[in-house]
Amino acid sequence: MTTAISAAPRACTLTVTAQAIRAYAELTDDFNPLHLDEAFAARTPMGRVIAHGTLSVCLLWQWVHQNFDADIFGDLQLDIRFVKPVYIGDQLTANGQPREGEPRCWDVWVRGPDGTDRVAGTLRPGAPRHDSPET
């Protein structure tokens, strides 16, 4: 795998569960009640519990790891925005495609079950590093 993937990239998927949100809260020490307390979340504009936004970003990083060589991570730039909340039960799909006319730039996203973006942005893989010393 390289920054110029010859085949279509392989998508990564995740079904969001209350258990996954709880585990992510414990991993990140982020116990905001919007993510964990149904009664609290019901009184917010979201109306119900939402997943941590960075949980979706982790799925996107899994997609990057699955589709690119590790040597691109040195100077990699990921520019994203959170578009819509993610709810318990959502099946998320992370994927991307090369941006036409811009080599080394990918449009990337995490989409919900309705096909709309939850996270969207661009990925600019770093130049491959060479471990051999300069002469």
Side-chain angles (χ1 to χ4, degrees):
M1 290 172 281
T2 66
T3 56
I5 299 173
S6 57
R10 297 180 316 238
C12 289
T13 61
L14 169 72
T15 300
V16 178
T17 64
Q19 295 82 4
I21 293 172
R22 165 68 61 186
Y24 193 80
E26 291 175 9
L27 178 70
T28 60
D29 199 28
D30 180 353
F31 296 98
N32 184 321
L34 183 58
H35 305 305
L36 302 166
D37 184 330
E38 291 179 21
F40 175 87
R43 296 187 309 270
T44 71
M46 297 300 163
R48 56 187 161 146
V49 167
I50 63 170
H52 301 76
T54 51
L55 179 67
S56 299
V57 177
C58 286
L59 183 64
L60 191 54
W61 282 121
Q62 182 181 347
W63 175 83
V64 171
H65 175 72
Q66 177 176 286
N67 286 286
F68 293 87
D69 286 333
D71 65 355
I72 64 127
F73 284 91
D75 296 323
L76 181 141
Q77 295 177 15
L78 180 64
D79 181 22
I80 58 159
R81 62 183 163 65
F82 296 99
V83 180
K84 291 175 81 175
V86 172
Y87 298 104
I88 294 172
D90 282 356
Q91 168 113 15
L92 301 178
T93 302
N95 210 339
Q97 65 186 23
R99 181 174 282 180
E100 192 170 326
E102 285 191 57
R104 303 190 62 74
C105 183
W106 287 69
D107 292 312
V108 295
W109 58 82
V110 176
R111 292 187 173 145
D114 60 358
T116 62
D117 291 343
R118 300 307 192 265
V119 175
T122 57
L123 170 79
R124 295 179 191 280
R129 291 177 286 177
H130 302 285
D131 291 334
S132 59
E134 294 183 28
T135 57

